[in-house]
Amino acid sequence: MATPTLDKPAGAEAGADHLVTVTFRIRRFNPEVSDQASWQDFELAIDPKERVLDGLHKIKWEIDGTLTFRRSCAHGVCGSDAMRINGRNRLACKTLIKDIAVLKDGRGTKPITVEPIQGMTVLKDLVVDMEPFFQAYRDVLPFLITEGNEPSRERLQSPADRARFDDTTKCILCAACTSSCPIYWSDGQYFGPAAIVNAHRFIFDSRDEAAERRLEILNDRDGVWRCRTTFNCTDACPRGIEVTKAIQEVKRALVTRRV
Amino acid sequence: MAIDTTRAAGSEFSPDNPAPLIEPPRTRTPHSPRATRTNFELYGWLFMRLSGIVLVILVLGHLLIQLVLDGGVSKISFAFVAGRWASPFWQVWDLAMLWLAMLHGGNGLRTIINDYAQNDDTRFWLKALLYTATVFTVLLGTLVIFTFDPNIR
């Protein structure tokens, strides 16, 4: 099926004056070439209303095909492309060039730095080993646990009960919070904000019956008590989850032994 | 923890000879800490909050009395301390301040050591030093407060 297209107007290039020139400074690592990571600069002409992910695509597709990064949906839902952009953890697919680049006369005054998220082993370029992150996630039993026979109809819940954990249902497991946590950086044994958020999601669910077990898991040495409330996680969350508040609610539930 | 990144000359990294990787955290090894199932960390956390609040009153009150009121620092002498410790109230005040400050600071340093000491041996010796210093200071201070003799020559 042919898609009807308009003939390009004669002055197609003239339409390019909305583009700006920015430099992407990307942290590259390839274990098959060197054991050291290094910075590489790419200069791009890009629409400032496009996203960092579009810039990375442009580099990968048009300049250097070896650039490696994760992305699936590219629209802020799958959580694959969390990376450290200009020193802050963000989703590349939700970060607009115009919001992070200081533009002057159609040029970015400073390069946009793109690094892999911190605290996890870098496999290549911007791809890190997420296994420790998901191990911590699995450790908090992130699924509905009930006892007795299955009900023959849906498990009802009042809007007020649903609202208690509404915020933590928004997590997309991008690891932006966990990899921004200085306690997680220190030895990687701390459960991390994302795992606690997903425990919170079930601890405060009135339909779930294993809150006690999850609280016990998070009561341990590497559980919620290692949180120093630095709020890095809340700042980093691309979904706007109040992560530190959720962690504090778990702490309160542990102290008062009441969910 | 530290991995060897030096290599013999001429041995380039390649698909068959990739650079060494750091072992990911949280992998289950025989050395992984076992779940403890105690409330120690909970009580430690609560203690830090509660002792912190009490210490604000105790320490600020102490500083105010010692350094600001009634002539300030120039009034402090052996006789001033002896006079204060004649009263059980100030004995208890100073004792509480000593114990809470030492345990509060000791627990704070314990968490910092847990966070930043990478090596198991380093961690053990730093903690041994910390606990020794804490116990020594607490016991010595307690001894002085209770056995203080104003007539000492």
Side-chain angles (χ1 to χ4, degrees):
Chain A
M1 192 182 90
T3 311
T5 54
L6 284 174
D7 287 333
K8 273 190 178 168
E13 287 305 309
D17 59 0
H18 64 289
L19 300 185
V20 296
T21 309
V22 289
T23 305
F24 276 65
R25 181 164 290 172
I26 299 176
R27 191 80 172 151
R28 305 290 307 266
F29 172 67
N30 183 350
E32 292 173 1
V33 174
S34 168
D35 56 351
Q36 300 295 323
S38 59
W39 295 98
Q40 188 177 357
D41 284 6
F42 298 92
E43 205 171 75
L44 297 181
I46 194 166
D47 186 332
K49 293 193 290 296
E50 293 217 88
R51 308 157 303 167
V52 171
L53 183 65
D54 297 311
L56 294 176
H57 278 154
K58 216 171 156 65
I59 293 168
K60 185 171 178 68
W61 294 339
E62 295 170 18
I63 302 174
D64 183 352
T66 64
L67 178 68
T68 309
F69 55 91
R70 285 197 183 102
R71 77 103 172 82
S72 293
C73 76
H75 291 85
V77 179
C78 72
S80 302
D81 63 347
M83 44 191 82
R84 194 168 155 102
I85 300 167
N86 277 0
R88 281 187 55 190
N89 283 1
R90 317 171 199 241
L91 295 183
C93 58
K94 285 183 78 174
T95 309
L96 301 187
I97 302 287
K98 69 182 177 71
D99 291 338
I100 55 164
V102 183
L103 299 169
K104 201 175 176 192
D105 304 329
R107 290 191 70 86
T109 53
K110 279 185 197 162
I112 296 170
T113 62
V114 184
E115 299 163 73
I117 48 177
Q118 314 266 294
M120 281 171 257
T121 310
V122 180
L123 299 179
K124 188 179 179 188
D125 292 349
L126 303 174
V127 173
V128 299
D129 180 9
M130 297 278 279
E131 187 49 33
F133 173 80
F134 286 117
Q135 182 63 53
Y137 173 61
R138 286 190 292 266
D139 283 348
V140 299
L141 316 173
F143 37 80
L144 185 81
I145 301 174
T146 60
E147 284 162 18
N149 296 330
E150 293 288 306
S152 55
R153 47 190 301 225
E154 66 186 298
R155 301 173 196 273
L156 293 178
Q157 185 171 48
S158 72
D161 281 344
R162 175 63 176 73
R164 293 190 71 197
F165 60 91
D166 184 68
D167 202 33
T168 45
T169 60
K170 296 189 278 185
C171 178
I172 55 174
L173 294 173
C174 66
C177 57
T178 295
S179 60
S180 73
C181 174
I183 308 304
Y184 188 80
W185 294 337
S186 70
D187 63 358
Q189 297 298 318
Y190 175 45
F191 274 92
I196 299 171
V197 156
N198 285 282
H200 178 285
R201 155 90 201 57
F202 287 97
I203 288 170
F204 293 95
D205 188 335
S206 61
R207 298 164 295 187
D208 187 88
E209 291 166 28
E212 204 55 41
R213 274 169 71 190
R214 293 194 191 87
L215 287 173
E216 208 49 64
I217 290 164
L218 292 178
N219 194 21
D220 214 337
R221 187 173 25 212
D222 296 312
V224 288
W225 307 117
R226 288 193 74 180
C227 169
R228 307 280 192 281
T229 55
T230 57
F231 283 89
N232 277 18
C233 47
T234 306
D235 286 343
C237 182
R239 307 286 307 214
I241 301 173
E242 293 179 279
V243 184
T244 313
K245 186 181 167 199
I247 298 174
Q248 293 300 95
E249 285 174 2
V250 173
K251 285 182 193 167
R252 185 181 302 165
L254 271 165
V255 171
T256 60
R257 283 289 161 184
R258 196 180 304 136
V259 173
Chain B
M1 269 293 176
I3 55 164
D4 186 19
T5 57
T6 55
R7 57 195 150 113
S11 67
E12 289 302 311
F13 290 117
S14 67
D16 301 321
N17 179 33
L21 287 180
I22 300 164
E23 185 179 296
R26 287 198 83 79
T27 38
R28 298 295 193 270
T29 64
H31 304 291
S32 298
R34 211 110 5 103
T36 50
R37 297 209 160 260
T38 64
N39 284 328
F40 180 75
E41 295 292 337
L42 187 160
Y43 292 134
W45 184 88
L46 263 184
F47 172 77
M48 292 304 269
R49 269 81 202 151
L50 299 177
S51 62
I53 295 167
V54 179
L55 277 170
V56 166
I57 300 162
L58 290 180
V59 172
L60 288 184
H62 178 81
L63 291 177
L64 196 70
I65 293 162
Q66 302 278 318
L67 306 180
V68 181
L69 298 179
D70 211 10
V73 71
S74 58
K75 68 167 183 288
I76 295 183
S77 61
F78 185 85
F80 178 77
V81 175
R84 266 164 58 90
W85 276 352
S87 150
F89 176 79
W90 294 115
Q91 278 188 334
V92 170
W93 181 298
D94 281 2
L95 190 73
M97 199 162 64
L98 171 76
W99 277 72
L100 290 178
M102 283 311 293
L103 294 181
H104 186 97
N107 192 34
L109 275 174
R110 181 185 71 91
T111 34
I112 291 172
I113 292 170
N114 278 342
D115 279 355
Y116 290 105
Q118 302 268 322
N119 192 301
D120 280 348
D121 287 341
T122 320
R123 184 175 298 196
F124 173 81
W125 286 111
L126 282 175
K127 279 189 185 176
L129 183 68
L130 171 70
Y131 296 155
T132 313
T134 308
V135 170
F136 176 76
T137 313
V138 164
L139 289 185
L140 184 67
T142 310
L143 186 76
V144 168
I145 290 174
F146 282 124
T147 60
F148 178 72
D149 178 9
N151 302 317
I152 196 166
R153 281 285 154 204

